[in-house]
Amino acid sequence: MRFTHLKLENWRNFLAVDVPLQQRVFLVGANASGKSNLLDAFRFLRDVADPQGGLHRAVQSRQGVSQIRSLHARRYPTVAIEVEVGDGDSGRWTYRLELTQNNQRVPIVAREVVRRGDDTVLERPDKDDKADISRQTQTHLEQVNANKKFRELAEFFAQVRYLHLVPQLVREPDRSKGLSRDPFGGDFLEQLARTPKKTRDSRLRRIQEALRVAVPQLKELKLERDAVGVPHLRGLYEHWRPNAGWQNEDQLSDGTLRLLGLLWVFLDGTAPLLLEEPELSLHAAVVRHIPQIIHRLGRRVGRQTLLSTHSADLLGDEGIAPEEVLVLQPSHEGTSVTVAAADEQVRALLEGNMSVAEAVLPRTAPRGVTQLGLFGE
Amino acid sequence: MKATPLVVTVALEGPCDVPIVERLLKDTGLEMGEVYVQGGKHRLDRQLTGYNSAARFAH
């Protein structure tokens, strides 16, 4: 299954978003245009559906409804997320959640709707909600005893994976102690260590093969626990003295760690994957191949990937279709999101043999950016 | 009522041309819109058809 459509109302930077989603989605926009906030809508659904999460926790971890609600929201102050999910075989699901808060700033479900095809599976608030207002502090999505008819959808949301690996956190896991499945990599090595040995070794071998191209000096990779049980990633670098080149994760470069994390997460699971700027710390020649890897993942295991990027190298891949690119453009009334293919000028530029990078990136550059060059004058 | 300035999309050979075009547009009362900077004249020439097609949809 994958997300096929997204609608947002009053969600962070966005007053209204209504876009179709492909197997690969590239989010392109200026700094602070809302790329991460758009990805956060999917993370929010995951947090609500997570058995250890729920609506209250998902909202509180984002500092309340007032922080989620768009500053541009006026007449209709509820925040709404609506997604369509499907794969063409098992029908199409629609999930809509509208949020507000009460006087005590407790998040309230203003509306929750689940549809399968044309059939309405859930429509809230119902008469029980109206009789007991406390029921509206929880979604049915998060309740096992209430989501039986759409458990498939709840499980799908809960599996969404987000990665924005910070090499410093991988090297110093103490900074994010106690976190589980930390998207910033605080428990990345622990995640590797928890994976069954056979699977882990197989994946590390595949990663090692791929890394050999990007980091030719790296000859071997292995995971070992130290005397107190802390997992360490060890890489053997080519050296004239045999076995002299073993290095721990704290000596591996940022680029090596980020690429390793990226390749690991590509192999780990089939649920939708959210990536923030996967090009960070990587050489342009490596970045150029990321769209192909993602395409292959989509074809082989049906995995959907949504990523934000500023990289001309990444978007320079000739296989990227304009239907896969969402362009975010900030304005005084919030950020608008459009599919690049819907823009006649972009289509004309692409027909003139330009890549998506050449046609789209200049449209997202801030006006007067040349003034930055004068900084320090 | 102040008229909205006309926004011009520009395609240039290289980044050094940007401030020159910006100044020219400013002096003629126009505003610079999107800037497509190419790496040299040959690349710009190759893309001209695309830019001309895209210009038909300018508004």
Side-chain angles (χ1 to χ4, degrees):
Chain A
M1 285 212 298
R2 66 174 179 88
F3 293 104
T4 55
H5 205 101
L6 172 70
K7 283 188 190 174
L8 299 174
E9 289 161 28
N10 299 329
W11 176 265
R12 296 186 182 264
N13 303 52
F14 313 98
L15 264 186
V17 172
D18 187 352
V19 283
L21 301 169
Q22 306 298 322
Q23 189 95 36
R24 288 190 305 186
V25 180
F26 300 88
L27 303 176
V28 185
N31 290 121
S33 58
K35 297 183 293 300
S36 303
N37 285 340
L38 193 115
L39 291 180
D40 193 44
F42 300 101
R43 293 175 67 196
F44 183 81
L45 289 176
R46 181 202 61 188
D47 293 351
V48 172
D50 186 357
Q52 274 91 49
L55 177 68
H56 192 77
R57 201 160 166 183
V59 172
Q60 289 316 309
S61 66
R62 290 164 176 80
Q63 279 77 51
V65 173
S66 47
Q67 292 297 312
I68 295 172
R69 181 187 292 139
S70 173
L71 290 173
H72 308 282
R74 293 195 191 102
R75 274 183 69 191
Y76 306 106
T78 53
V79 178
I81 301 179
E82 181 177 320
V83 289
E84 282 177 20
V85 172
D87 57 6
D89 297 329
S90 61
R92 197 183 71 229
W93 289 100
T94 305
Y95 180 79
R96 181 177 177 85
L97 179 62
E98 293 180 25
L99 287 179
T100 186
Q101 61 182 358
N102 67 13
N103 293 338
Q104 284 78 48
R105 300 193 170 189
V106 173
I108 297 291
V109 177
R111 198 158 169 245
E112 186 179 22
V113 182
V114 181
R115 285 194 204 93
R116 182 161 201 176
D118 296 327
D119 300 331
T120 301
V121 180
L122 175 77
E123 170 87 59
R124 295 179 67 201
D126 55 19
K127 62 180 189 337
D128 292 333
D129 293 323
K130 284 168 188 161
D132 178 8
I133 194 77
S134 298
R135 286 170 56 96
Q136 284 179 253
T137 59
Q138 291 187 335
T139 61
H140 278 201
L141 184 71
E142 70 200 79
Q143 299 173 52
V144 184
N145 57 357
N147 69 14
K148 193 178 168 195
K149 288 182 183 166
F150 53 97
R151 182 80 44 80
E152 181 188 12
L153 193 61
E155 286 172 355
F156 170 76
F157 289 157
Q159 285 169 5
V160 168
R161 186 84 184 268
Y162 172 79
L163 183 79
H164 186 25
L165 198 127
V166 180
Q168 287 77 3
L169 289 182
V170 178
R171 295 191 191 102
E172 298 174 49
D174 285 353
R175 289 198 209 179
S176 48
K177 213 163 198 167
L179 286 177
S180 175
R181 294 180 80 83
D182 178 20
F184 305 107
D187 69 335
F188 177 66
L189 297 182
E190 198 54 59
Q191 280 181 42
L192 259 65
R194 276 199 302 264
T195 307
K197 188 177 181 321
K198 204 173 161 189
T199 311
R200 184 179 67 225
D201 289 347
S202 154
R203 285 183 190 165
L204 282 177
R205 265 196 307 277
R206 291 181 68 183
I207 290 171
Q208 195 181 306
E209 288 294 316
L211 273 177
R212 205 170 276 166
V213 179
V215 191
Q217 315 91 297
L218 188 62
K219 294 296 168 200
E220 198 179 331
L221 264 181
K222 62 182 178 183
L223 193 88
E224 284 178 347
R225 286 191 186 271
D226 63 18
V228 288
V230 178
H232 292 287
L233 191 66
R234 303 198 74 208
L236 177 64
Y237 280 80
E238 199 170 57
H239 194 272
W240 60 272
R241 280 164 53 202
N243 289 331
W246 281 105
Q247 296 193 341
N248 270 357
E249 68 277 359
D250 51 359
Q251 293 158 301
L252 297 179
S253 75
D254 282 7
T256 307
L257 279 176
R258 281 191 63 96
L259 185 56
L260 205 148
L262 205 57
L263 295 174
W264 178 269
V265 83
F266 282 150
L267 295 174
D268 191 21
T270 56
L273 178 60
L274 314 174
L275 297 173
E276 296 259 22
E277 298 174 34
E279 68 268 19
L280 289 179
S281 309
L282 299 179
H283 190 281
V286 175
V287 171
R288 272 180 222 129
H289 293 286
I290 293 176
Q292 291 170 32
I293 299 174
I294 294 170
H295 172 71
R296 213 164 291 126
L297 271 177
R299 211 180 46 191
R300 197 168 55 83
V301 293
R303 190 168 202 185
Q304 184 177 34
T305 306
L306 301 96
L307 63 89
S308 66
T309 183
H310 291 289
S311 170
D313 293 305
L314 194 147
L315 292 169
D317 185 286
E318 288 174 358
I320 298 176
E323 287 79 10
E324 297 177 300
V325 181
L326 299 183
V327 184
L328 280 70
Q329 283 176 316
S331 74
H332 294 300
E333 290 296 321
T335 295
S336 67
V337 184
T338 47
V339 180
D343 186 318
E344 289 163 323
Q345 286 198 323
V346 170
R347 280 212 313 271
L349 293 171
L350 293 172
E351 280 162 16
N353 283 330
M354 282 191 205
S355 68
V356 166
E358 289 168 320
V360 172
L361 281 182
R363 304 174 79 76
T364 63
R367 293 267 160 92
V369 71
T370 49
Q371 293 297 314
L372 256 183
L374 302 174
F375 182 76
E377 278 286 306
Chain B
M1 204 173 79
K2 200 178 165 187
T4 314
L6 194 64
V7 180
V8 180
T9 302
V10 294
L12 305 160
E13 283 182 24
C16 297
D17 303 329
V18 178
I20 299 164
V21 173
E22 198 169 15
R23 182 64 188 264
L24 283 171
L25 291 173
K26 196 179 166 191
D27 286 354
T28 45
L30 301 168
E31 197 176 291
M32 190 148 87
E34 286 133 20
V35 184
Y36 292 84
V37 181
Q38 296 298 330
K41 185 174 181 299
H42 290 298
R43 285 194 59 174
L44 184 61
D45 285 346
R46 270 210 312 270
Q47 314 287 22
L48 274 183
T49 320
Y51 289 129
N52 285 330
S53 306
R56 288 187 287 121
F57 302 104
H59 42 108

